[in-house]
Amino acid sequence: MKVLLSWLKEFAPIEGEPDAIGEQLSELGLAVEEITRTGEHLEGVVVAKVLDLRPHPDADRVQIVEVDSGDGQPLQICCGAFNMSPGDFVPLATIGTTMPNGMEISRRKLRGEWSNGMLCSGAEIDLGEDHDGILILGNESEQGTPLADSLGIESDVLFDLEVNPNRPDAMSVAGVARDLAAYQKIPFSIPVPKVSEKGKDISEILKTEIVSPDLCGRFVVRVIDGISIQDSPQWLKNRITALGMRPVNNVVDVSNYVMLELGQPSHTFDLASVANSEFRVRWASDGEEIVTLDGVGRNLTAQDGVVTDGSDSPIGIAGVMGGVSTEISESTSTVALEMAWWNPSAIAKTSRRLGLRSEASARFERGTDPEVIETAMLRFCELLGPEALMSPGIIDEKGDLPAREKIKVRVSRVNSILGTDLDQKDILQILDPIGFEAESVDQDIDVMVPSFRPDTSSEIDVIEEIARIYGYERIVKTVPKSKTFGSLTGKQSDRRLIRTTMMGLGLDEAMPVPFLAPGELENAGLESDGIKVANPLVAEESVMRSSLRPGLLKTLAYNESHRLTGLRLFELGHIYRQPDKPQPLPDEREQLVSVLAGNEAGEIVKIWSALADALAFDEYELITDSQPGFHATRTSRIEIQGRTVGFLGEIDPSVLSLFEVSERVACLEVDIDDLLSIPHGHRSYTPFSRYPSSDIDLAFEVDEGISSNEVKKCLQEQVGVLLVDIYLFDIFRGEPVSEGRRSLAFKLRLQAEDRTLTDAEVAKVHGECIESVEKKFSAKLRS
Amino acid sequence: MNQDYDLHLEEAKGKIEESSDLEALKKLEIELLGKQSLTAQAKGSLGELEPEERRELGLALNETRSKLEEMLETRRRRLESEVKGEQLENERLDLTEFDRGHRLGHRHVVTQTWERLEDLFIGMGYSVSEGPEIEDEWHNFGALNFPLGHPARDMYDTLYVEYGDPMSTLLRTHTSPVQIRVMEEEDPPIYSIMPGRVFRSDTADSTHMPVFHQIEALVVDRGITFGDLAGTIEAFTSAYFGKDFESRLRPSYFPFTEPSAEFDIRQPGGKWLELGGCGMVHPEVLKAGGLDPEEWQGFAFGFGLDRLALMRHEIDDLRELFRNDYRFLAQF
């Protein structure tokens, strides 16, 4: 909502500098988005009359214009526009003028021809949007007159306000003035319009009926005679232009002016075209049709409201747009002026469904003031000028209007919510200037909410008004002491540990958006049952990810396309899946995925084992397995205490080619919810032996099909308690190891808790180990 | 006689200094102090002398031998240190050769901001609460005092998902549904923050993303006031942005708080910068969370988390956070 300072002052003697008033409006909850000083930059711009036009001898895109700027002498100007003719009046920025864009006009030569000023387009002097040609002024202009005087533009201040949905009253200049007056503690009033009445009483002219009272709370009609359709006076045009409306003709402009000033939209009918001079208000029936003012045929539904004529044919869509059949024209002399209070949600639905949102429908949706209608009608007639005459009498039909009820406001509650120390008197003084009729009743206050504040219906609503007018900034700031200890939950701490570990391993955290395009899950080898977005803006954002893998593969592809390869990334985030059993919400889980581009599967095993160590999962198993989207022969599942918590290995090469990733990609995928639900993170002290230890190295030739883990397990079982450490320290393939086999070399450390092991004991274990591995795996000890 | 030894010493000194390595020195030591040496020979024949003469010569011999020993020792140390020096010289390394960008990974800037905020509020005694990103209509709107058809729902460009009844399930438009979940699950007093990912049907540009992050705080306790809200925001502002920053509240509108406000921050003399929304928890919201609004009062405030990350690192395009260009990820 935009308001002009001069307009506000018609309702209250507002004081202060524009910036200070802007601050006050913000403190009232009418956030100022922009303050513009209008009219100032017109200094130096005068009306000039075009005397002659001739081509520039040396430039095609410029012509030479001779103008009279008031002294009767021809003045030569070079001009890039060609839309004027001799005799036209145009704005001339004289030498020394500073334009709104900061440019200073000087006398200068353009390809050998002098230019003594600049002729201006509307946009160049902030008078509209038109860039294309020079602004042609009306014929009544006089050369030499300052343009501001000629157009009746006074220097003024325009405030652009952001009005919240709970402030329908602030969708009018008068409403904003009321708030400001309350802030400045100055009187506020809406002047009573002066109108002449003449002719037959309206009851003899037309009839109205509200057929559907749930649609329309109030339907008021008056008749105005003596109207001639013409241009509005310049001052009125200027004001509505400043507030963002385009001048059309006097009737349309006045309708907009009244709406901007008082918040009440109106509609005018050419009474002669209204069948039987009768208006009916009702819900439309499905399939009913109307051609609206914009010439478009509209199909209506039972959720739309209509105004019909005496033949019950729609002549307007309630609160949204009138019909073409009763549109006023140059031949109109008698106008039926209608103002109504419409059911806000009905207007909201219809305007949205038809895509017809206007300044008027926006006000009806928020809820207009049903009691401003009489004043608005008179103001409408007054603004049309002394020739406009109103018929005596008023047609005023009532439907279902929201009841205004008294709200009980407890003084103790006000102070308890706000942290203030206000008494009854303070509160009454706060509420009175914004139209809330309040009276003390015992310890409390009864409040009658004004008709222009339909949003206010409960005690807390009134408390907000009290706080707003009292001033948020006057409320003393205090800090409550938390009665709880602040801490992260176990899961939240683990999440941090996971990220820190990944960081330590040199992995960067990626954060792709959780949307995928159709087909991307399938390309990653995953089920195509991702949860779909019902109303996506673009297809690329229409499927919710069921795994972090596709997003990270896309990230690798994006980077590869920028010649960034070898990335080591991880992501920790939510995934969304169709649940196995019906449940209120999808199966939303947390997943960790790491991708190492340019790495084989072995590298990711290190990442996993470091992570398991960080989280203190000391026992897990990697079991050769397959998983869709993973490499068929380079994948293991991770099991802890018999539960699968994830998979690791490499991404299937055919998946990589679909994602256009050319490097090998090692990948770890862990279900964080499953993983963290298994007890972990705690390590009890294990005492260690004080006696010397002995090491044995054993290298076995075994078939490729036998996993190193199986051999290791066999050794562990064989040695039993004496084994304090075992690890695979070398793998060797090739001569002299036979084809299809490889050598696995383990280092075993033996130690007893209560004694030093003798050479004989160690030799015995050595022999047993060889025997058991050779026997179990058809292995052969290498010497 | 003594003069002979002086001459011997003079001679020995020259030989010792000429010895070029430890091995030569060893040989020289045998020559000078061994059984066949001049002094050892002389010592052996001491018995043949008169006591007076023997004493005198003995002293002279001992003195000569200890001088020889000292000279040998000095030379040995010198040679040893040369050998060690040579060995170390052979091990010389250019350490800059090893400085080849071995690096830690980096947490995403959003995560860094997220954790920084968590730490700050934990310090103020708050815990951290979470909720699902795909929400039901009730928690995202209904319970937060947005009745069906309420025009305020239009303030949020909601993305719905195909799950359950049409329009029943959505991508949460704000972190506020977690307020309801916390009230449902925990008894007051509640001092909690709720960071999380939220969604809007927005076309990506430099200041908008269909996915972004918010954090909000909820306090529900006895006698919590609007003054407490303003004071807590002020405390947060100076803790996060710096002691010289100040905050102000301006009236605004949210269905789930009343009185509602926007909060702005600024450095002294700077321009006000709108940061987020806040207010006293609406009585209807407390009721929806199963609490009696006559017994419990509370406040909530929330703001965009990504924007703080952009501000801290002078990033001018929100899309950069989600593009995952390595040149971006590796910077922070």
Side-chain angles (χ1 to χ4, degrees):
Chain A
M1 175 76 197
K2 290 176 178 170
V3 293
L4 278 168
L5 184 55
S6 64
W7 204 341
L8 290 170
K9 284 183 175 171
E10 291 182 9
F11 302 95
I14 288 157
E15 291 164 4
E17 287 300 308
D19 286 344
I21 293 170
E23 281 299 303
Q24 292 166 10
L25 288 165
S26 285
E27 284 176 37
L28 286 161
L30 303 169
V32 176
E33 292 182 334
E34 202 182 355
I35 300 178
T36 320
R37 286 163 177 80
T38 63
E40 284 181 353
H41 48 262
L42 291 180
E43 204 169 307
V45 182
V46 300
V47 177
K49 188 176 184 180
V50 177
L51 301 175
D52 188 26
L53 302 166
R54 60 188 151 88
H56 188 292
D58 206 18
D60 289 347
R61 295 188 177 181
V62 177
Q63 64 174 335
I64 293 172
V65 188
E66 282 194 342
V67 298
D68 172 7
S69 63
D71 57 5
Q73 299 297 314
L75 187 70
Q76 177 171 314
I77 313 285
C78 294
C79 181
F82 294 83
N83 65 321
M84 58 288 207
S85 324
D88 281 349
F89 292 94
V90 292
L92 168 71
T94 54
I95 289 161
T97 303
T98 305
M99 303 298 288
N101 66 6
M103 180 174 83
E104 197 172 314
I105 304 298
S106 59
R107 183 167 191 259
R108 64 193 187 102
K109 236 178 192 171
L110 212 145
R111 296 218 172 175
E113 292 286 341
W114 283 105
S115 187
N116 300 293
M118 186 176 104
L119 304 183
C120 311
S121 70
E124 280 166 337
I125 44 177
D126 277 1
L127 291 176
E129 309 283 308
D130 196 354
H131 282 279
D132 294 339
I134 299 303
L135 179 67
I136 307 293
L137 303 164
N139 285 331
E140 71 285 3
S141 312
E142 194 175 324
Q143 58 266 45
T145 319
L147 184 68
D149 294 351
S150 176
L151 294 181
I153 296 172
E154 290 164 26
S155 67
D156 208 335
V157 183
L158 183 70
F159 298 95
D160 191 355
L161 307 176
E162 185 189 340
V163 178
N164 286 312
N166 66 328
R167 294 297 309 280
D169 62 305
M171 292 297 283
S172 68
V173 176
V176 173
R178 183 188 293 113
D179 254 20
L180 258 183
Y183 186 99
Q184 297 194 347
K185 299 192 168 48
I186 52 176
F188 164 85
S189 66
I190 297 177
V192 180
K194 293 180 190 66
V195 166
S196 312
E197 291 188 355
K198 198 183 173 188
K200 280 196 284 186
D201 191 272
I202 191 166
S203 59
E204 298 169 35
I205 303 172
L206 56 81
K207 283 189 296 191
T208 60
E209 185 190 355
I210 296 178
V211 180
S212 309
D214 54 337
L215 165 66
C216 183
R218 193 174 176 198
F219 191 82
V220 183
V221 186
R222 293 201 71 163
V223 170
I224 305 175
D225 248 323
I227 294 177
S228 55
I229 305 296
Q230 56 192 11
D231 269 7
S232 298
Q234 192 64 46
W235 69 267
L236 193 149
K237 281 191 195 173
N238 291 344
R239 276 200 170 169
I240 63 172
T241 304
L243 269 65
M245 310 288 301
R246 198 169 49 86
V248 179
N249 61 43
N250 56 344
V251 174
V252 173
D253 296 352
V254 162
S255 173
N256 285 331
Y257 190 96
V258 171
M259 175 180 73
L260 295 168
E261 180 172 83
L262 299 172
Q264 176 64 51
S266 55
H267 188 68
T268 45
F269 299 89
D270 177 2
L271 189 56
S273 341
V274 177
N276 303 343
S277 298
E278 188 181 346
F279 295 96
R280 294 160 58 84
V281 178
R282 61 167 172 81
W283 294 108
S285 42
D286 284 325
E288 218 168 350
E289 288 174 10
I290 181 173
V291 178
T292 45
L293 281 176
D294 52 5
V296 178
R298 313 269 178 185
N299 262 308
L300 301 174
T301 74
Q303 272 92 51
D304 303 320
V306 286
V307 177
T308 69
D309 60 14
S311 68
D312 210 30
S313 307
I315 53 172
I317 304 175
V320 174
M321 196 182 264
V324 78
S325 66
T326 54
E327 185 181 6
I328 51 169
S329 64
E330 309 245 328
S331 61
T332 303
S333 64
T334 306
V335 161
L337 170 64
E338 167 253 296
M339 293 190 188
W341 185 94
W342 300 109
N343 178 326
S345 67
I347 304 302
K349 276 183 206 147
T350 299
S351 64
R352 207 163 318 164
R353 189 178 66 76
L354 296 176
L356 285 174
R357 307 192 85 168
S358 62
E359 291 280 333
S361 71
R363 285 171 172 77
F364 285 127
E365 279 179 33
R366 289 169 182 239
T368 51
D369 175 7
E371 290 180 17
V372 81
I373 290 179
E374 288 94 333
T375 307
M377 288 247 164
L378 294 174
R379 182 66 170 146
F380 192 107
C381 190
E382 181 185 52
L383 286 165
L384 281 176
E387 310 83 51
L389 299 169
M390 259 186 160
S391 302
I394 184 166
I395 299 259
D396 187 355
E397 294 292 324
K398 297 271 168 55
D400 301 342
L401 265 185
R404 285 173 62 195
E405 282 168 30
K406 273 195 177 152
I407 299 172
K408 191 179 195 59
V409 176
R410 293 163 292 171
V411 173
S412 60
R413 181 75 168 166
V414 172
N415 290 319
S416 158
I417 293 283
L418 299 182
T420 47
D421 194 17
L422 301 170
D423 60 22
Q424 279 175 318
K425 198 170 131 254
D426 298 329
I427 294 172
L428 295 186
Q429 278 176 357
I430 287 168
L431 289 175
D432 180 63
I434 50 169
F436 286 66
E437 296 158 32
E439 56 175 348
S440 297
V441 177
D442 301 326
Q443 298 305 303
D444 302 322
I445 292 170
D446 275 355
V447 176
M448 181 62 92
V449 176
S451 58
F452 48 81
R453 291 303 302 274
D455 58 288
T456 306
S457 59
S458 63
E459 184 184 40
I460 194 73
D461 294 336
V462 178
I463 292 174
E464 180 172 64
E465 287 305 300
I466 295 168
R468 196 169 67 81
I469 300 300
Y470 176 73
Y472 281 11
E473 283 310 291
R474 286 174 65 197
I475 294 170
V476 177
K477 291 172 177 168
T478 46
V479 183
K481 234 179 152 45
S482 168
K483 295 172 185 71
T484 59
F485 285 105
S487 66
L488 294 175
T489 62
K491 188 175 183 184
Q492 289 159 354
S493 301
D494 280 342
R495 236 182 244 144
R496 288 201 178 187
L497 186 54
I498 291 168
R499 285 197 165 95
T500 309
T501 304
M502 290 304 188
M503 237 173 89
L505 294 165
L507 272 59
D508 290 292
E509 184 179 16
M511 202 172 274
V513 298
F515 301 115
L516 296 172
E520 285 179 338
L521 284 171
E522 296 88 322
N523 284 352
L526 298 157
E527 296 259 349
S528 59
D529 63 349
I531 308 244
K532 289 188 178 59
V533 178
N535 55 335
L537 277 189
V538 287
E540 289 73 36
E541 296 169 359
S542 63
V543 180
M544 301 306 291
R545 63 188 181 189
S546 59
S547 160
L548 303 183
R549 257 186 279 154
L552 286 170
L553 290 173
K554 282 163 75 178
T555 299
L556 291 180
Y558 164 87
N559 278 286
E560 190 180 312
S561 73
H562 291 79
R563 306 188 64 239
L564 299 163
T565 53
L567 268 62
R568 298 162 67 89
L569 301 176
F570 78 96
E571 184 186 5
L572 186 56
H574 288 218
I575 55 167
Y576 326 88
R577 290 178 176 164
Q578 305 288 354
D580 298 334
K581 284 174 282 179
Q583 60 184 45
L585 287 174
D587 184 16
E588 186 169 329
R589 318 184 64 81
E590 203 166 347
Q591 200 179 48
L592 169 74
V593 170
S594 163
V595 287
L596 308 179
N599 279 285
E600 299 197 22
E603 190 63 17
I604 202 76
V605 181
K606 295 182 195 163
I607 302 288
W608 161 253
S609 63
L611 182 67
D613 188 25
L615 292 167
F617 283 109
D618 290 328
E619 303 209 338
Y620 61 82
E621 279 192 81
L622 303 183
I623 300 158
T624 303
D625 200 350
S626 62
Q627 171 77 345
F630 274 86
H631 193 295
T633 60
R634 292 187 167 194
T635 298
S636 286
R637 74 171 185 276
I638 307 167
E639 259 189 26
I640 300 178
Q641 295 176 14
R643 289 177 59 182
T644 300
V645 298
F647 290 83
L648 47 66
E650 272 178 49
I651 297 290
D652 184 339
S654 57
V655 168
L656 292 177
S657 78
L658 286 172
F659 279 88
E660 298 183 351
V661 175
S662 62
E663 299 173 283
R664 278 187 174 275
V665 175
C667 178
L668 166 70
E669 177 174 291
V670 180
D671 186 310
I672 290 298
D673 292 298
D674 283 346
L675 178 72
L676 299 181
S677 69
I678 299 170
H680 66 283
H682 177 76
R683 283 170 170 146
S684 311
Y685 167 61
T686 313
F688 44 88
S689 171
R690 307 284 158 179
Y691 294 90
S693 58
S694 310
D695 290 349
I696 22 181
D697 290 355
L698 291 168
F700 295 102
E701 243 187 74
V702 290
D703 285 348
E704 290 283 7
I706 294 158
S707 85
S708 74
N709 238 1
E710 291 174 78
V711 181
K712 184 171 156 187
K713 265 194 197 164
C714 172
L715 290 166
Q716 282 169 324
E717 278 162 27
Q718 180 59 47
V719 184
V721 290
L722 289 183
L723 187 67
V724 292
D725 194 18
I726 175 169
Y727 63 95
L728 180 64
F729 73 90
D730 189 43
I731 303 149
F732 177 77
R733 290 183 174 84
E735 282 296 324
V737 179
S738 45
E739 183 87 13
R741 284 161 80 86
R742 86 277 201 210
S743 155
L744 300 173
F746 292 89
K747 190 175 280 291
L748 292 78
R749 174 157 287 189
L750 310 180
Q751 196 173 27
E753 265 180 54
D754 52 352
R755 63 187 193 285
T756 304
L757 292 174
T758 62
D759 289 350
E761 278 177 293
V762 174
K764 183 166 172 270
V765 170
H766 191 244
E768 286 166 355
C769 282
I770 294 164
E771 194 187 331
S772 88
V773 171
E774 284 189 338
K775 199 164 147 196
K776 187 158 181 188
F777 302 109
S778 313
K780 198 179 109 198
L781 184 76
R782 295 184 66 220
S783 42
Chain B
M1 189 73 187
N2 283 353
Q3 279 136 9
D4 292 348
Y5 293 122
D6 285 346
L7 195 65
H8 178 61
L9 277 174
E10 198 59 32
E11 229 175 286
K13 192 181 173 191
K15 285 185 182 168
I16 287 169
E17 276 173 12
E18 276 162 28
S19 65
S20 58
D21 56 41
L22 286 166
E23 209 174 318
L25 193 67
K26 192 83 195 163
K27 279 184 188 152
L28 198 57
E29 187 176 0
I30 294 165
E31 184 189 323
L32 294 173
L33 295 172
K35 283 178 189 156
Q36 303 304 316
S37 67
L38 184 69
T39 49
Q41 296 285 343
K43 250 184 154 173
S45 54
L46 277 180
E48 299 160 16
L49 299 178
E50 288 305 308
E52 183 66 10
E53 221 180 343
R54 182 168 38 181
R55 201 178 61 86
E56 200 175 312
L57 187 62
L59 275 174
L61 274 174
N62 281 345
E63 197 184 332
T64 304
R65 284 183 71 88
S66 68
K67 275 186 179 161
L68 285 170
E69 277 166 7
E70 198 189 311
M71 284 192 290
L72 285 163
E73 180 60 22
T74 305
R75 183 67 187 160
R76 178 162 47 246
R77 285 216 194 107
R78 176 73 190 267
L79 289 171
E80 273 172 3
S81 100
E82 274 175 23
V83 168
K84 275 183 194 155
E86 208 170 305
Q87 281 169 351
L88 292 178
E89 185 55 42
N90 290 338
E91 291 179 9
R92 180 173 289 279
L93 286 184
D94 170 13
L95 298 190
T96 64
E97 288 171 11
F98 300 89
D99 186 15
R100 282 184 287 185
H102 290 277
R103 54 185 285 281
L104 290 178
H106 292 219
R107 282 171 308 155
H108 196 276
V109 270
V110 168
T111 303
Q112 294 184 28
T113 307
W114 178 313
E115 293 184 355
R116 198 173 284 127
L117 289 165
E118 280 180 345
D119 291 344
L120 195 147
F121 281 104
I122 286 169
M124 288 171 76
Y126 289 59
S127 47
V128 182
S129 306
E130 298 166 26
E133 292 171 2
I134 297 187
E135 259 295 2
D136 56 57
E137 178 279 328
W138 166 250
H139 284 93
N140 196 77
F141 286 130
L144 291 165
N145 200 29
F146 291 81
L148 267 175
H150 192 285
R153 287 195 183 199
D154 291 350
M155 288 160 60
Y156 301 84
D157 301 311
T158 310
L159 286 167
Y160 290 87
V161 294
E162 291 177 7
Y163 189 86
D165 295 332
M167 312 271 280
S168 67
T169 315
L170 46 81
L171 299 175
R172 66 178 177 190
T173 57
H174 46 188
T175 43
S176 305
V178 188
Q179 289 187 21
I180 303 297
R181 294 192 176 272
V182 171
M183 286 190 261
E184 283 168 347
E185 284 157 27
E186 294 169 29
D187 293 328
I190 295 167
Y191 289 79
S192 197
I193 55 158
M194 298 136 213
R197 175 170 276 191
V198 299
F199 305 81
R200 300 274 169 91
S201 174
D202 253 334
T203 304
D205 63 27
S206 64
T207 54
H208 296 87
M209 277 295 293
V211 185
F212 55 104
H213 300 87
Q214 286 184 337
I215 182 164
E216 65 187 71
L218 173 71
V219 167
V220 178
D221 203 343
R222 291 194 164 83
I224 292 293
T225 69
F226 193 81
D228 290 334
L229 167 63
T232 301
I233 285 179
E234 182 91 340
F236 158 74
T237 301
S238 61
Y240 187 85
F241 295 97
K243 284 221 183 315
D244 54 342
F245 274 78
E246 54 178 345
S247 64
R248 73 164 180 191
L249 305 192
R250 282 182 291 111
S252 188
Y253 171 74
F254 306 103
F256 43 103
T257 51
E258 191 156 23
S260 294
E262 305 264 3
F263 65 98
D264 303 338
I265 57 159
R266 75 166 172 198
Q267 255 177 320
K271 272 183 76 174
W272 286 110
L273 181 73
E274 187 179 319
L275 198 70
C278 63
M280 298 299 290
V281 182
H282 198 287
E284 294 302 321
V285 174
L286 289 168
K287 279 188 213 163
L291 300 175
D292 176 3
E294 291 294 319
E295 185 181 359
W296 301 103
Q297 293 177 189
F299 67 68
F301 64 93
F303 49 91
L305 200 151
D306 312 271
R307 189 144 146 256
L308 295 194
L310 299 189
M311 281 163 64
R312 178 174 286 262
H313 301 285
E314 294 111 35
I315 303 163
D316 58 5
D317 190 335
L318 180 62
R319 284 168 294 194
E320 212 58 79
L321 296 183
F322 304 94
R323 200 174 274 147
N324 298 295
D325 192 303
Y326 178 74
R327 292 164 292 188
F328 178 83
L329 298 178
Q331 266 187 43
F332 304 100

